[in-house]
Coordinates of all heavy atoms in Angstrom, one line a residue:
M1 N -47.8 17.2 42.9 CA -47.6 16.3 41.7 C -48.1 17.0 40.5 O -49.2 17.3 40.4 CB -48.3 15.0 41.9 CG -47.4 14.0 42.6 SD -46.3 13.2 41.5 CE -45.6 12.0 42.6
N2 N -47.3 17.2 39.5 CA -47.7 17.8 38.3 C -47.5 16.7 37.2 O -46.4 16.5 36.8 CB -46.9 19.0 38.0 CG -47.4 19.8 36.9 OD1 -48.2 19.3 36.0 ND2 -47.1 21.1 36.8
P3 N -48.5 16.2 36.7 CA -48.4 15.1 35.7 C -47.7 15.6 34.4 O -47.0 14.8 33.7 CB -49.8 14.7 35.4 CG -50.7 15.7 36.0 CD -49.9 16.4 37.1
V4 N -47.9 16.9 34.1 CA -47.3 17.4 32.9 C -45.8 17.4 33.0 O -45.0 17.0 32.1 CB -47.8 18.8 32.6 CG1 -47.2 19.4 31.3 CG2 -49.3 18.8 32.5
R5 N -45.3 17.8 34.2 CA -43.9 17.9 34.5 C -43.3 16.5 34.4 O -42.3 16.3 33.8 CB -43.7 18.4 35.9 CG -43.6 19.9 35.9 CD -42.2 20.3 36.1 NE -42.0 21.7 35.7 CZ -41.5 22.7 36.5 NH1 -41.3 22.4 37.8 NH2 -41.4 23.9 36.1
L6 N -44.0 15.5 35.0 CA -43.5 14.1 35.0 C -43.4 13.6 33.6 O -42.4 13.0 33.2 CB -44.5 13.3 35.8 CG -44.2 13.2 37.3 CD1 -45.3 12.4 38.0 CD2 -42.9 12.5 37.5
A7 N -44.4 13.9 32.8 CA -44.4 13.5 31.4 C -43.2 14.1 30.7 O -42.5 13.4 29.9 CB -45.7 13.9 30.7
L8 N -43.0 15.4 30.9 CA -41.9 16.1 30.3 C -40.6 15.5 30.7 O -39.7 15.2 29.9 CB -41.9 17.6 30.7 CG -42.5 18.5 29.7 CD1 -42.7 19.9 30.3 CD2 -41.6 18.6 28.4
L9 N -40.5 15.3 32.0 CA -39.2 14.7 32.5 C -39.0 13.3 31.9 O -37.9 12.9 31.5 CB -39.3 14.5 34.1 CG -38.0 14.2 34.8 CD1 -37.1 15.4 34.7 CD2 -38.3 13.9 36.2
G10 N -40.1 12.5 31.8 CA -40.0 11.2 31.2 C -39.6 11.3 29.8 O -38.7 10.5 29.3
G11 N -40.2 12.3 29.1 CA -39.8 12.5 27.7 C -38.3 12.8 27.5 O -37.6 12.3 26.7
L12 N -37.9 13.7 28.4 CA -36.5 14.1 28.4 C -35.6 13.0 28.6 O -34.6 12.8 27.9 CB -36.2 15.2 29.4 CG -36.6 16.7 28.9 CD1 -36.5 17.6 30.1 CD2 -35.6 17.1 27.8
L13 N -35.9 12.2 29.6 CA -35.1 11.0 30.0 C -35.1 10.0 28.8 O -34.1 9.5 28.5 CB -35.7 10.3 31.2 CG -35.3 10.9 32.5 CD1 -36.1 10.3 33.7 CD2 -33.8 10.7 32.8
Y14 N -36.3 9.9 28.2 CA -36.4 9.0 27.1 C -35.4 9.5 25.9 O -34.7 8.7 25.3 CB -37.8 8.9 26.6 CG -38.0 8.1 25.4 CD1 -37.9 6.7 25.5 CD2 -38.3 8.6 24.1 CE1 -38.1 5.9 24.4 CE2 -38.5 7.8 23.0 CZ -38.4 6.4 23.2 OH -38.5 5.6 22.1
I15 N -35.5 10.8 25.6 CA -34.7 11.3 24.6 C -33.2 11.1 24.9 O -32.4 10.7 24.0 CB -35.0 12.8 24.3 CG1 -36.4 13.0 23.7 CG2 -33.9 13.5 23.5 CD1 -37.0 14.3 23.8
A16 N -32.8 11.4 26.1 CA -31.5 11.3 26.6 C -31.0 9.8 26.4 O -29.9 9.5 26.0 CB -31.3 11.7 28.0
Y17 N -31.9 8.9 26.8 CA -31.6 7.5 26.7 C -31.4 7.1 25.3 O -30.4 6.4 24.9 CB -32.8 6.7 27.3 CG -32.7 5.2 27.1 CD1 -31.8 4.5 27.8 CD2 -33.6 4.7 26.1 CE1 -31.8 3.1 27.6 CE2 -33.5 3.3 25.9 CZ -32.6 2.5 26.6 OH -32.5 1.2 26.4
R18 N -32.3 7.6 24.4 CA -32.2 7.3 23.0 C -30.9 7.8 22.4 O -30.2 7.1 21.6 CB -33.4 7.9 22.2 CG -34.7 7.1 22.4 CD -34.5 5.7 22.0 NE -34.3 5.6 20.5 CZ -35.2 5.1 19.7 NH1 -36.4 4.7 20.1 NH2 -35.0 5.0 18.4
L19 N -30.5 9.0 22.8 CA -29.3 9.6 22.3 C -28.1 8.7 22.7 O -27.2 8.5 21.9 CB -29.1 11.0 22.8 CG -29.9 12.1 22.1 CD1 -29.9 13.4 22.8 CD2 -29.4 12.3 20.7
L20 N -28.1 8.3 24.0 CA -27.0 7.5 24.5 C -26.9 6.2 23.8 O -25.8 5.8 23.3 CB -27.2 7.3 26.0 CG -26.6 8.4 26.9 CD1 -27.1 8.2 28.3 CD2 -25.1 8.4 26.9
V21 N -28.0 5.6 23.7 CA -28.1 4.3 23.0 C -27.7 4.4 21.5 O -26.9 3.7 21.0 CB -29.5 3.6 23.1 CG1 -29.6 2.4 22.2 CG2 -29.7 3.3 24.6
G22 N -28.2 5.5 20.9 CA -27.9 5.8 19.5 C -26.4 6.0 19.3 O -25.9 5.5 18.3
A23 N -25.8 6.7 20.2 CA -24.4 7.0 20.1 C -23.6 5.7 20.2 O -22.6 5.5 19.5 CB -24.0 8.0 21.1
G24 N -24.0 4.9 21.2 CA -23.3 3.7 21.4 C -23.5 2.7 20.3 O -22.6 1.9 20.0
K25 N -24.7 2.7 19.7 CA -25.0 1.8 18.7 C -24.5 2.2 17.3 O -24.7 1.4 16.3 CB -26.6 1.6 18.6 CG -27.1 0.3 19.3 CD -28.5 0.1 18.9 CE -29.1 -1.1 19.5 NZ -30.5 -1.3 19.2
K26 N -23.9 3.3 17.2 CA -23.5 3.9 15.9 C -22.8 2.8 15.1 O -21.8 2.2 15.5 CB -22.5 5.0 16.1 CG -22.7 6.1 15.1 CD -21.9 7.3 15.5 CE -22.6 8.6 15.2 NZ -21.9 9.8 15.6
K27 N -23.4 2.6 14.0 CA -22.8 1.5 13.2 C -21.4 1.8 12.7 O -21.1 2.8 12.2 CB -23.7 1.3 11.9 CG -24.0 -0.2 11.7 CD -24.9 -0.3 10.5 CE -25.3 -1.8 10.3 NZ -26.2 -2.0 9.1
R28 N -20.6 0.8 12.9 CA -19.2 1.0 12.5 C -19.1 0.8 11.0 O -19.4 -0.3 10.5 CB -18.3 0.0 13.2 CG -18.1 0.4 14.6 CD -16.8 -0.2 15.1 NE -16.4 0.4 16.4 CZ -15.2 0.1 17.0 NH1 -14.4 -0.7 16.4 NH2 -14.9 0.8 18.1
T29 N -18.8 1.8 10.3 CA -18.8 1.7 8.8 C -17.4 1.5 8.3 O -17.0 1.7 7.2 CB -19.3 3.0 8.2 OG1 -18.7 4.1 8.8 CG2 -20.8 3.1 8.3
E30 N -16.6 1.0 9.3 CA -15.2 0.7 8.9 C -15.2 -0.5 7.9 O -15.7 -1.6 8.2 CB -14.4 0.2 10.1 CG -13.9 1.4 10.9 CD -13.2 0.8 12.2 OE1 -12.4 -0.1 12.0 OE2 -13.5 1.3 13.3
E31 N -14.7 -0.2 6.8 CA -14.7 -1.3 5.8 C -13.5 -2.2 6.1 O -12.4 -1.8 6.4 CB -14.4 -0.7 4.4 CG -15.7 -0.1 3.8 CD -15.4 0.7 2.5 OE1 -14.6 0.2 1.7 OE2 -15.9 1.8 2.3
Q32 N -13.8 -3.4 6.1 CA -12.8 -4.4 6.4 C -11.8 -4.5 5.3 O -11.9 -5.2 4.3 CB -13.5 -5.8 6.6 CG -14.1 -5.9 8.0 CD -14.0 -7.2 8.6 OE1 -13.8 -8.2 7.9 NE2 -14.0 -7.3 9.9
T33 N -10.8 -3.6 5.4 CA -9.8 -3.6 4.4 C -8.9 -4.8 4.5 O -8.1 -5.0 5.4 CB -9.0 -2.3 4.6 OG1 -8.7 -2.1 6.0 CG2 -9.7 -1.1 4.1
A34 N -9.1 -5.6 3.5 CA -8.3 -6.8 3.5 C -6.8 -6.4 3.3 O -6.5 -5.5 2.6 CB -8.7 -7.7 2.3
P35 N -5.9 -7.1 4.0 CA -4.5 -6.8 3.8 C -4.0 -7.1 2.5 O -3.3 -8.1 2.2 CB -3.9 -7.7 4.9 CG -4.8 -8.8 5.2 CD -6.2 -8.3 4.9
S36 N -4.4 -6.3 1.5 CA -3.9 -6.5 0.1 C -2.5 -6.0 0.0 O -2.3 -4.9 -0.4 CB -4.9 -5.8 -0.8 OG -5.0 -4.5 -0.4
D37 N -1.6 -6.8 0.3 CA -0.2 -6.4 0.2 C 0.2 -6.3 -1.3 O 0.1 -7.3 -2.0 CB 0.7 -7.5 0.8 CG 1.4 -6.9 2.0 OD1 1.5 -5.7 2.2 OD2 1.9 -7.7 2.8
L38 N 0.5 -5.1 -1.6 CA 0.9 -4.9 -3.0 C 2.3 -5.5 -3.3 O 2.6 -5.9 -4.4 CB 1.0 -3.4 -3.3 CG -0.4 -2.7 -3.5 CD1 -0.2 -1.2 -3.5 CD2 -1.1 -3.1 -4.7
S39 N 3.1 -5.6 -2.2 CA 4.4 -6.1 -2.4 C 4.4 -7.6 -2.6 O 5.4 -8.2 -3.0 CB 5.3 -5.7 -1.2 OG 4.7 -6.1 0.0
S40 N 3.3 -8.2 -2.1 CA 3.2 -9.7 -2.2 C 2.6 -10.2 -3.5 O 2.0 -11.2 -3.6 CB 2.4 -10.3 -1.0 OG 1.1 -9.9 -1.1
S41 N 2.6 -9.3 -4.5 CA 2.1 -9.7 -5.8 C 3.0 -10.7 -6.5 O 4.1 -10.9 -6.1 CB 2.0 -8.5 -6.7 OG 3.2 -7.8 -6.8
K42 N 2.4 -11.4 -7.4 CA 3.2 -12.5 -8.0 C 4.4 -11.9 -8.8 O 4.3 -10.8 -9.4 CB 2.3 -13.3 -9.0 CG 1.5 -12.5 -9.9 CD 0.4 -13.4 -10.6 CE -0.6 -12.5 -11.4 NZ -1.6 -13.3 -12.0
G43 N 5.4 -12.7 -8.9 CA 6.6 -12.2 -9.6 C 7.7 -11.8 -8.6 O 8.8 -11.6 -8.9
M44 N 7.2 -11.7 -7.3 CA 8.2 -11.4 -6.3 C 9.2 -12.5 -6.1 O 10.3 -12.2 -5.6 CB 7.4 -11.2 -4.9 CG 7.0 -9.7 -4.8 SD 8.3 -8.6 -4.5 CE 8.8 -9.0 -2.9
D45 N 8.8 -13.7 -6.4 CA 9.7 -14.8 -6.1 C 10.9 -14.9 -7.2 O 11.8 -15.6 -7.0 CB 9.0 -16.1 -6.1 CG 8.0 -16.2 -7.2 OD1 7.6 -15.2 -7.8 OD2 7.7 -17.4 -7.6
I46 N 10.7 -14.2 -8.3 CA 11.7 -14.3 -9.3 C 12.7 -13.2 -9.0 O 12.5 -12.0 -9.0 CB 11.1 -14.0 -10.7 CG1 9.9 -15.0 -11.0 CG2 12.1 -14.1 -11.8 CD1 9.0 -14.5 -12.1
L47 N 13.9 -13.7 -8.7 CA 15.0 -12.8 -8.4 C 15.9 -12.6 -9.6 O 16.2 -13.6 -10.3 CB 15.8 -13.3 -7.2 CG 15.1 -13.2 -5.9 CD1 15.9 -13.9 -4.8 CD2 14.9 -11.8 -5.5
V48 N 16.3 -11.4 -9.9 CA 17.3 -11.2 -11.0 C 18.5 -10.5 -10.4 O 18.4 -9.8 -9.4 CB 16.6 -10.3 -12.0 CG1 15.6 -11.0 -12.8 CG2 16.0 -9.0 -11.4
E49 N 19.6 -10.7 -11.1 CA 20.9 -10.1 -10.5 C 21.2 -8.8 -11.2 O 21.2 -8.7 -12.5 CB 22.0 -11.1 -10.7 CG 23.2 -10.8 -9.9 CD 24.4 -11.7 -10.1 OE1 24.2 -12.9 -10.5 OE2 25.5 -11.3 -9.9
D50 N 21.5 -7.9 -10.4 CA 22.0 -6.6 -10.9 C 23.4 -6.8 -11.4 O 24.3 -7.2 -10.7 CB 21.9 -5.6 -9.7 CG 22.3 -4.2 -10.1 OD1 23.2 -4.0 -11.0 OD2 21.7 -3.3 -9.5
P51 N 23.7 -6.5 -12.7 CA 25.0 -6.7 -13.3 C 26.0 -5.7 -12.7 O 27.2 -5.9 -12.9 CB 24.8 -6.5 -14.8 CG 23.6 -5.7 -14.9 CD 22.7 -6.0 -13.7
V52 N 25.6 -4.6 -12.1 CA 26.5 -3.6 -11.6 C 27.0 -3.9 -10.2 O 28.2 -4.0 -10.0 CB 25.8 -2.2 -11.7 CG1 26.7 -1.2 -11.1 CG2 25.5 -1.9 -13.1
C53 N 26.0 -4.1 -9.3 CA 26.4 -4.3 -7.9 C 26.1 -5.7 -7.5 O 26.4 -6.1 -6.3 CB 25.7 -3.3 -7.0 SG 23.9 -3.6 -6.9
H54 N 25.6 -6.5 -8.4 CA 25.4 -8.0 -8.2 C 24.4 -8.2 -7.0 O 24.6 -9.2 -6.3 CB 26.7 -8.7 -8.0 CG 27.6 -8.6 -9.2 ND1 27.4 -9.3 -10.4 CD2 28.7 -7.7 -9.4 CE1 28.4 -8.9 -11.2 NE2 29.1 -8.0 -10.7
T55 N 23.5 -7.4 -6.9 CA 22.5 -7.6 -5.9 C 21.3 -8.3 -6.5 O 21.0 -8.1 -7.6 CB 22.0 -6.2 -5.3 OG1 23.1 -5.5 -4.8 CG2 20.9 -6.4 -4.2
L56 N 20.7 -9.3 -5.7 CA 19.6 -10.0 -6.2 C 18.3 -9.1 -5.9 O 18.1 -8.8 -4.7 CB 19.5 -11.3 -5.6 CG 20.5 -12.4 -6.1 CD1 20.5 -13.6 -5.3 CD2 20.3 -12.7 -7.6
V57 N 17.6 -8.8 -6.9 CA 16.4 -8.0 -6.7 C 15.2 -8.7 -7.3 O 15.3 -9.4 -8.3 CB 16.5 -6.6 -7.3 CG1 17.3 -5.7 -6.4 CG2 17.1 -6.6 -8.7
P58 N 14.0 -8.6 -6.7 CA 12.8 -9.1 -7.3 C 12.5 -8.5 -8.6 O 12.6 -7.2 -8.7 CB 11.7 -8.8 -6.3 CG 12.4 -8.4 -5.0 CD 13.7 -7.9 -5.4
R59 N 12.2 -9.3 -9.6 CA 12.1 -8.7 -10.9 C 11.0 -7.6 -11.0 O 11.2 -6.7 -11.8 CB 11.7 -9.9 -11.9 CG 12.1 -9.5 -13.3 CD 11.9 -10.7 -14.2 NE 10.5 -11.1 -14.4 CZ 10.1 -12.0 -15.2 NH1 10.9 -12.7 -15.9 NH2 8.8 -12.3 -15.3
E60 N 10.0 -7.8 -10.2 CA 8.9 -6.8 -10.3 C 9.4 -5.4 -9.8 O 8.8 -4.4 -10.1 CB 7.7 -7.3 -9.4 CG 7.0 -8.5 -10.0 CD 6.3 -8.2 -11.3 OE1 5.5 -7.3 -11.3 OE2 6.7 -8.9 -12.3
Q61 N 10.4 -5.5 -8.9 CA 10.8 -4.2 -8.4 C 12.1 -3.7 -9.1 O 12.5 -2.6 -8.8 CB 11.1 -4.4 -6.9 CG 9.9 -4.6 -6.0 CD 10.2 -4.8 -4.6 OE1 11.4 -4.7 -4.2 NE2 9.2 -5.1 -3.8
A62 N 12.6 -4.5 -9.9 CA 13.9 -4.1 -10.6 C 13.7 -3.1 -11.6 O 12.6 -2.9 -12.2 CB 14.5 -5.4 -11.2
C63 N 14.8 -2.4 -11.9 CA 14.8 -1.4 -13.0 C 15.2 -2.1 -14.3 O 16.3 -2.7 -14.4 CB 15.9 -0.4 -12.6 SG 15.3 1.3 -12.8
F64 N 14.3 -2.2 -15.2 CA 14.5 -2.9 -16.4 C 15.1 -2.1 -17.5 O 14.8 -0.9 -17.7 CB 13.2 -3.5 -16.9 CG 13.3 -4.2 -18.2 CD1 13.9 -5.5 -18.2 CD2 12.8 -3.7 -19.4 CE1 14.0 -6.2 -19.4 CE2 12.9 -4.4 -20.6 CZ 13.5 -5.6 -20.6
L65 N 16.1 -2.7 -18.2 CA 16.8 -2.0 -19.3 C 17.0 -3.0 -20.4 O 17.4 -4.1 -20.2 CB 18.1 -1.4 -18.8 CG 19.0 -0.8 -19.9 CD1 18.4 0.5 -20.3 CD2 20.4 -0.7 -19.5
R66 N 16.6 -2.5 -21.6 CA 16.9 -3.3 -22.8 C 18.1 -2.7 -23.5 O 18.0 -1.5 -23.8 CB 15.6 -3.3 -23.6 CG 15.6 -4.2 -24.8 CD 14.7 -5.4 -24.5 NE 14.7 -6.3 -25.7 CZ 15.1 -7.6 -25.6 NH1 15.3 -8.1 -24.4 NH2 15.2 -8.4 -26.6
H67 N 19.1 -3.5 -23.6 CA 20.4 -2.9 -24.2 C 21.0 -3.9 -25.1 O 21.3 -5.1 -24.6 CB 21.3 -2.5 -23.0 CG 22.5 -1.8 -23.5 ND1 22.5 -0.4 -23.9 CD2 23.8 -2.2 -23.6 CE1 23.7 -0.1 -24.3 NE2 24.5 -1.1 -24.1
N68 N 21.2 -3.6 -26.3 CA 21.9 -4.5 -27.3 C 21.1 -5.8 -27.4 O 21.7 -6.9 -27.3 CB 23.3 -4.7 -27.0 CG 24.1 -3.5 -27.3 OD1 23.7 -2.6 -28.0 ND2 25.3 -3.3 -26.6
N69 N 19.8 -5.8 -27.4 CA 19.0 -7.0 -27.5 C 19.1 -7.9 -26.3 O 18.8 -9.0 -26.3 CB 19.3 -7.8 -28.8 CG 18.6 -7.1 -30.0 OD1 17.6 -6.4 -29.9 ND2 19.2 -7.2 -31.1
Q70 N 19.6 -7.3 -25.2 CA 19.7 -8.1 -24.0 C 18.9 -7.4 -22.9 O 18.8 -6.1 -22.9 CB 21.1 -8.2 -23.6 CG 21.9 -9.3 -24.3 CD 23.0 -9.8 -23.5 OE1 22.9 -10.3 -22.4 NE2 24.2 -9.7 -24.1
S71 N 18.3 -8.2 -22.0 CA 17.6 -7.6 -20.9 C 18.4 -7.5 -19.7 O 19.1 -8.5 -19.3 CB 16.3 -8.5 -20.7 OG 15.5 -8.5 -21.8
Y72 N 18.3 -6.4 -19.0 CA 19.1 -6.2 -17.8 C 18.1 -5.7 -16.7 O 17.2 -5.0 -17.0 CB 20.2 -5.2 -18.0 CG 21.2 -5.6 -19.0 CD1 21.2 -5.1 -20.3 CD2 22.3 -6.4 -18.6 CE1 22.1 -5.5 -21.2 CE2 23.2 -6.8 -19.6 CZ 23.1 -6.3 -20.9 OH 24.1 -6.7 -21.8
Y73 N 18.4 -6.2 -15.5 CA 17.6 -5.7 -14.4 C 18.6 -5.1 -13.3 O 19.6 -5.7 -13.0 CB 16.9 -6.9 -13.8 CG 15.8 -7.4 -14.7 CD1 16.1 -8.5 -15.5 CD2 14.5 -6.9 -14.7 CE1 15.1 -9.0 -16.4 CE2 13.6 -7.4 -15.6 CZ 13.9 -8.5 -16.4 OH 12.9 -9.0 -17.2
F74 N 18.2 -4.0 -12.8 CA 19.0 -3.3 -11.8 C 18.2 -3.1 -10.5 O 17.0 -3.0 -10.5 CB 19.5 -2.0 -12.4 CG 20.2 -2.1 -13.7 CD1 19.5 -2.0 -14.9 CD2 21.6 -2.4 -13.7 CE1 20.2 -2.1 -16.1 CE2 22.3 -2.5 -14.9 CZ 21.6 -2.4 -16.1
C75 N 19.0 -3.0 -9.5 CA 18.3 -2.8 -8.2 C 17.8 -1.4 -8.1 O 16.8 -1.1 -7.4 CB 19.3 -3.1 -7.0 SG 20.6 -1.8 -6.9
S76 N 18.4 -0.5 -8.8 CA 18.0 0.9 -8.7 C 18.3 1.6 -10.0 O 19.1 1.1 -10.8 CB 18.7 1.7 -7.6 OG 20.0 1.7 -7.8
D77 N 17.8 2.8 -10.2 CA 18.1 3.6 -11.4 C 19.5 4.0 -11.4 O 20.1 4.2 -12.5 CB 17.1 4.8 -11.3 CG 17.0 5.4 -12.7 OD1 16.7 4.6 -13.7 OD2 17.2 6.6 -12.9
T78 N 20.1 4.2 -10.2 CA 21.5 4.6 -10.1 C 22.4 3.5 -10.8 O 23.3 3.8 -11.6 CB 21.9 4.7 -8.7 OG1 20.9 5.5 -8.0 CG2 23.3 5.4 -8.5
C79 N 22.1 2.3 -10.5 CA 22.9 1.2 -11.1 C 22.6 1.1 -12.6 O 23.6 0.9 -13.4 CB 22.5 -0.2 -10.5 SG 23.3 -0.4 -8.9
C80 N 21.4 1.4 -13.0 CA 21.1 1.4 -14.4 C 21.9 2.5 -15.1 O 22.5 2.2 -16.2 CB 19.6 1.7 -14.6 SG 19.0 1.7 -16.3
Q81 N 22.0 3.6 -14.5 CA 22.7 4.7 -15.1 C 24.2 4.4 -15.2 O 24.9 4.7 -16.2 CB 22.5 6.0 -14.3 CG 21.1 6.6 -14.4 CD 20.6 6.9 -15.8 OE1 21.4 7.5 -16.6 NE2 19.4 6.6 -16.2
R82 N 24.7 3.8 -14.1 CA 26.1 3.4 -14.0 C 26.4 2.4 -15.1 O 27.5 2.5 -15.8 CB 26.4 2.9 -12.7 CG 27.9 2.7 -12.4 CD 28.2 2.2 -11.0 NE 27.7 3.1 -10.0 CZ 27.6 2.8 -8.7 NH1 28.0 1.6 -8.3 NH2 27.2 3.7 -7.8
F83 N 25.5 1.5 -15.3 CA 25.7 0.5 -16.3 C 25.8 1.1 -17.7 O 26.7 0.8 -18.5 CB 24.5 -0.5 -16.3 CG 24.6 -1.6 -17.3 CD1 25.4 -2.7 -17.2 CD2 23.8 -1.5 -18.5 CE1 25.4 -3.7 -18.1 CE2 23.8 -2.5 -19.4 CZ 24.6 -3.6 -19.3
L84 N 24.9 2.0 -18.0 CA 24.9 2.7 -19.3 C 26.1 3.5 -19.5 O 26.7 3.6 -20.5 CB 23.6 3.6 -19.4 CG 22.3 2.9 -19.7 CD1 21.1 3.8 -19.5 CD2 22.3 2.3 -21.1
T85 N 26.6 4.2 -18.4 CA 27.8 5.0 -18.5 C 29.0 4.1 -18.8 O 29.8 4.5 -19.6 CB 28.0 5.7 -17.1 OG1 26.8 6.4 -16.8 CG2 29.1 6.8 -17.3
E86 N 29.1 3.0 -18.1 CA 30.2 2.1 -18.3 C 30.2 1.5 -19.7 O 31.2 1.4 -20.3 CB 30.2 1.0 -17.3 CG 30.7 1.5 -15.9 CD 30.5 0.5 -14.8 OE1 30.2 -0.7 -15.1 OE2 30.6 0.8 -13.6
K87 N 29.0 1.2 -20.2 CA 28.9 0.7 -21.5 C 29.2 1.8 -22.5 O 29.9 1.5 -23.6 CB 27.4 0.2 -21.8 CG 27.1 -1.1 -21.1 CD 27.5 -2.3 -21.9 CE 27.3 -3.6 -21.1 NZ 27.9 -4.7 -21.8
G88 N 28.9 3.0 -22.2 CA 29.1 4.1 -23.2 C 30.6 4.4 -23.2 O 31.1 4.8 -24.3
D89 N 31.3 4.2 -22.1 CA 32.7 4.5 -22.1 C 33.5 3.6 -23.0 O 34.6 4.0 -23.5 CB 33.3 4.3 -20.7 CG 32.9 5.5 -19.8 OD1 32.5 6.5 -20.3 OD2 33.0 5.4 -18.6
K90 N 33.0 2.4 -23.3 CA 33.7 1.5 -24.1 C 33.7 1.9 -25.6 O 34.5 1.4 -26.4 CB 33.1 0.1 -24.0 CG 33.6 -0.5 -22.7 CD 33.1 -1.9 -22.5 CE 33.6 -2.6 -21.2 NZ 33.0 -3.9 -21.0
N91 N 32.8 2.8 -26.0 CA 32.7 3.2 -27.4 C 33.7 4.2 -27.8 O 33.9 5.2 -27.2 CB 31.2 3.7 -27.7 CG 30.3 2.5 -27.7 OD1 30.6 1.4 -28.0 ND2 29.0 2.9 -27.6
Ligands
ZN30 ZN1 22.5 -2.2 -8.0

């Protein structure tokens, strides 16, 4: 029996135990990211009609155009461009 050896072994076991517990106890720093839906922001309920393809689009997502003191909303920039082209053709 070697008391020093036993003490060392005990120490090692203790360290090992602490490491295991420490690893398991590792605090979860995961921030509780609230489901902050950007798409669910206010204004989504307001639908506007695209004058080109007649699609209803949420105003917040629509492509806004001010033309001849009138406000137009488009589903995409493509429709906006088409609208301007068609308007321009009339001149
Ligand atoms: Zn469109």
